[in-house]
Amino acid sequence: MNSSNERCMDNFIDWVESRNADEPEFIQAVRDLACDVYASYSERKAWQSAKVLERLSEPDRIISFRVCWEDDRGDIHVNRGWRVQHCGAIGPYKGGIRFHPSVNTSILKFLAFEQTFKSALTGLPIGGGKGGSDFDPRGRSDREIMRFCQAFMNELYRHIGENTDVPAGDINVGRREIGYLFGQYRRLANTFSGALTGKDIEFGGSHVRMEATGYGLIYFLRCMLARRDQDLETQRVAISGSGNVALHAAQKAIDLGARVITLSSSKGVLHHSEGIPGKEINRVIELRMDSTELLEKIRAAAGGDWHEGEKPWQFECDIALPCATQNELDGEDAKALAQNQCLIVAEGANMPCTETAIEIFKDRKILHAPGKASNAGGVALSGLEMAQNASFSRWEQQRLDEKLLEIMQDIHNQCVKHAGEHDGYVDYHRGANIAAFNRVASAVLAQGIG
Ligand code: NDP
């Protein structure tokens, strides 16, 4: 990038920072994209004069609401709920709902922003959004979860719909919560439509949806390895988290011959140098329990060591898959991975690596797949669930798994094409940002100013 473009980009980042001063995660996500796309953006005068990047740095709308619900003792609680509808230029807003005490507008805006570009990479007609609440489901009874979901939907229902905005799950929102949310939507809207994805198979859900993010991550990883004439056989894989994404990634990696040496929770990490047995993952994958208890169950049956308060990145591994949450892997972790000769970091979570960590990966030539590419399998399957709902059909498991594989291969190839290869190193991060931005920017430009 020449110095005049660099100045323009700095001005753009200053502008984003000044408008979103208390939103560090959102600024981080915008900066991440802008650094990769700004050079080509500045060459496309039509994009620049229509201020496409500036427009994409402001969500279409943010809906904020009160969620009032009653616990089992009759006490009333007041939480906050949000839906960020970031960009609908390619299709209906699409993106998960997260229930976690850390949820705020910065986190939801970054997730919705990422989602727009991730959806674009799938090639399907879906846009980007995200929603959630600062509600903490930990320790809550099933009835309390149901009442909270219903209260959340009492407001959200008027903003979503199969052609408007189609939410799905995310942290602490799985099949059970989607069931409660969908039930309340159906009652209030008086219609049975595919307004949410991740539903149970009995009422419009899709085969492979639950597995899709984790399996898709491993399909993407397999493409990265194949370019180096390698496969997953005997690779040591460190995974963080032990939720939906982490466990399905572990299951598929083990199926393909890898050794999964860690899983973690917010309290610590389970390390198993021989590899966690696949049958233990299969045994716990459908259980609904606290992550730390789940890991203790695996340890009690299969051995391994529990490291309280630690993260997985200090252990020797060939491949690291951060699958828990944003900014969980920092510069020190990246240095430890580099020291241990880690070859590949592929993101299962959204933006799990800090900017410093990513710089270190590039510097040390560690291949790094960003979540918007490598975890896009979940939203891809959601898109396929929408297609099945719209056509009153249900597709077979094998067909969906093959389609997922095809989409992940295509995303991989788009990344390689747009990144190019320099001294044998593919900058997947840059490739994903450019490929995704090209599609979204073209759609925004074609639809006029608004
Ligand atoms: P789950 O709620 O199923 O699991 C989350 C896991 O991450 C739990 O093991 C949790 O442990 C751990 N975790 C959460 N916060 C922290 C933290 N601060 N530090 C360490 N560990 C933490 O969520 P998912 O598996 O669905 O989502 C995981 C990530 O993947 C998120 O970034 C999400 O946005 C992303 N993602 C999910 C998709 C999906 O289809 N579900 C699609 C694409 C991306 P504990 O319970 O102890 O907190």
Side-chain angles (χ1 to χ4, degrees):
M1 208 169 15
N2 64 34
S3 57
S4 137
N5 286 343
E6 259 175 41
R7 250 194 329 277
C8 291
M9 188 182 85
D10 289 345
N11 289 343
F12 165 72
I13 300 289
D14 287 347
W15 176 78
V16 172
E17 284 177 349
S18 66
R19 292 163 68 84
N20 305 280
D22 299 325
E23 299 183 339
E25 292 86 1
F26 178 64
I27 293 167
Q28 183 182 342
V30 176
R31 189 164 46 222
D32 176 281
L33 181 100
C35 288
D36 283 331
V37 305
Y38 209 89
S40 57
Y41 179 65
S42 47
E43 282 163 14
R44 308 281 279 265
K45 294 297 164 219
W47 288 0
Q48 262 206 335
S49 65
K51 293 225 171 0
V52 170
L53 189 55
E54 288 79 352
R55 285 157 63 193
L56 284 167
S57 304
E58 193 66 42
D60 285 358
R61 70 188 62 79
I62 302 176
I63 299 138
S64 158
F65 49 97
R66 182 186 65 228
V67 188
C68 185
W69 60 283
E70 187 176 1
D71 70 18
D72 288 343
R73 293 184 318 196
D75 289 339
I76 304 302
H77 298 261
V78 181
N79 282 96
R80 285 184 170 164
W82 294 271
R83 185 73 184 164
V84 178
Q85 297 179 332
H86 178 258
C87 177
I90 288 183
Y93 303 107
K94 185 86 203 79
I97 291 176
R98 176 178 292 191
F99 293 160
H100 196 274
S102 64
V103 165
N104 57 35
T105 44
S106 173
I107 286 179
L108 293 179
K109 277 171 70 179
F110 113 67
L111 288 165
F113 181 86
E114 287 285 291
Q115 187 70 54
T116 291
F117 298 101
K118 184 193 308 193
S119 294
L121 284 173
T122 67
L124 298 170
I126 42 183
K130 203 82 184 187
S133 172
D134 57 0
F135 169 65
D136 186 356
R138 205 173 294 213
R140 291 293 173 192
S141 71
D142 192 55
R143 283 297 172 90
E144 288 176 324
I145 299 288
M146 180 187 76
R147 284 196 293 274
F148 180 81
C149 289
Q150 292 177 340
F152 186 82
M153 188 53 80
N154 283 345
E155 176 61 32
L156 186 68
Y157 90 96
R158 64 190 95 239
H159 306 289
I160 65 172
E162 60 184 333
N163 296 316
T164 321
D165 183 351
V166 185
D170 191 73
I171 291 181
N172 291 325
V173 178
R175 210 192 298 253
R176 171 182 61 165
E177 290 75 15
I178 292 290
Y180 293 146
L181 290 163
F182 181 75
Q184 192 69 349
Y185 175 79
R186 185 180 59 71
R187 289 177 205 108
L188 293 167
N190 193 27
T191 180
F192 194 106
S193 69
L196 289 125
T197 59
K199 302 183 288 298
D200 198 283
I201 198 82
E202 302 305 337
F203 49 89
S206 174
H207 288 299
V208 193
R209 173 60 191 91
M210 285 303 146
E211 298 86 348
T213 310
Y215 282 18
L217 172 64
I218 301 301
Y219 293 156
F220 192 96
L221 172 64
R222 207 162 54 160
C223 294
M224 297 172 85
L225 286 163
R227 286 196 87 256
R228 303 166 56 100
D229 294 323
Q230 288 179 309
D231 60 27
L232 268 155
E233 199 70 43
T234 73
Q235 303 277 4
R236 294 162 306 168
V237 181
I239 300 181
S240 64
S242 47
N244 177 284
V245 179
L247 292 178
H248 287 107
Q251 190 179 52
K252 182 56 80 179
I254 294 168
D255 278 357
L256 295 174
R259 265 196 289 157
V260 170
I261 58 158
T262 67
L263 286 170
S264 72
S265 74
S266 47
K267 304 238 172 67
V269 55
L270 173 66
H271 178 239
H272 195 306
S273 53
E274 300 302 311
I276 297 168
K279 71 175 194 314
E280 293 307 323
I281 307 277
N282 297 341
R283 200 162 66 91
V284 299
I285 211 159
E286 289 290 338
L287 297 180
R288 190 178 299 129
M289 62 195 296
D290 174 77
S291 290
T292 309
E293 287 170 26
L294 182 141
L295 294 175
E296 173 50 27
K297 212 174 173 62
I298 296 177
R299 199 201 60 76
D305 306 310
W306 175 252
H307 299 259
E308 184 78 18
E310 292 185 23
K311 299 198 264 183
W313 319 124
Q314 60 184 301
F315 301 104
E316 270 188 33
C317 66
D318 305 302
I319 294 162
L321 305 178
C323 295
T325 195
Q326 64 274 352
N327 289 329
E328 56 165 306
L329 196 162
D330 62 21
E332 290 307 307
D333 300 323
K335 279 185 203 153
L337 286 169
Q339 217 152 27
N340 286 327
Q341 316 290 325
C342 174
L343 297 171
I344 297 179
V345 178
E347 298 181 349
N350 287 309
M351 208 170 77
C353 302
T354 63
E355 290 167 296
T356 314
I358 294 169
E359 272 168 33
I360 292 169
F361 298 149
K362 284 188 186 170
D363 191 48
R364 308 284 179 95
K365 299 278 183 277
I366 295 174
L367 293 177
H368 168 239
K372 62 170 74 73
S374 51
N375 75 27
V379 72
L381 235 296
S382 277
L384 301 180
E385 183 174 329
M386 288 162 70
Q388 291 170 81
N389 291 168
S391 58
F392 287 96
S393 58
R394 183 190 292 170
W395 302 348
E396 293 304 317
Q397 182 146 356
Q398 191 183 340
R399 176 180 175 191
L400 286 156
D401 196 28
E402 283 167 7
K403 191 76 192 143
L404 173 65
L405 177 63
E406 206 180 287
I407 291 173
M408 296 313 295
Q409 284 170 337
D410 178 62
I411 296 175
H412 174 268
N413 295 344
Q414 288 182 64
C415 293
V416 174
K417 180 177 155 204
H418 286 88
E421 188 168 346
H422 307 283
D423 301 330
Y425 183 76
V426 176
D427 187 344
Y428 284 91
H429 189 267
R430 179 178 142 79
N433 277 333
I434 294 175
F437 183 73
N438 285 355
R439 182 170 182 216
V440 179
S442 302
V444 167
L445 185 73
Q447 292 174 33
I449 310 295

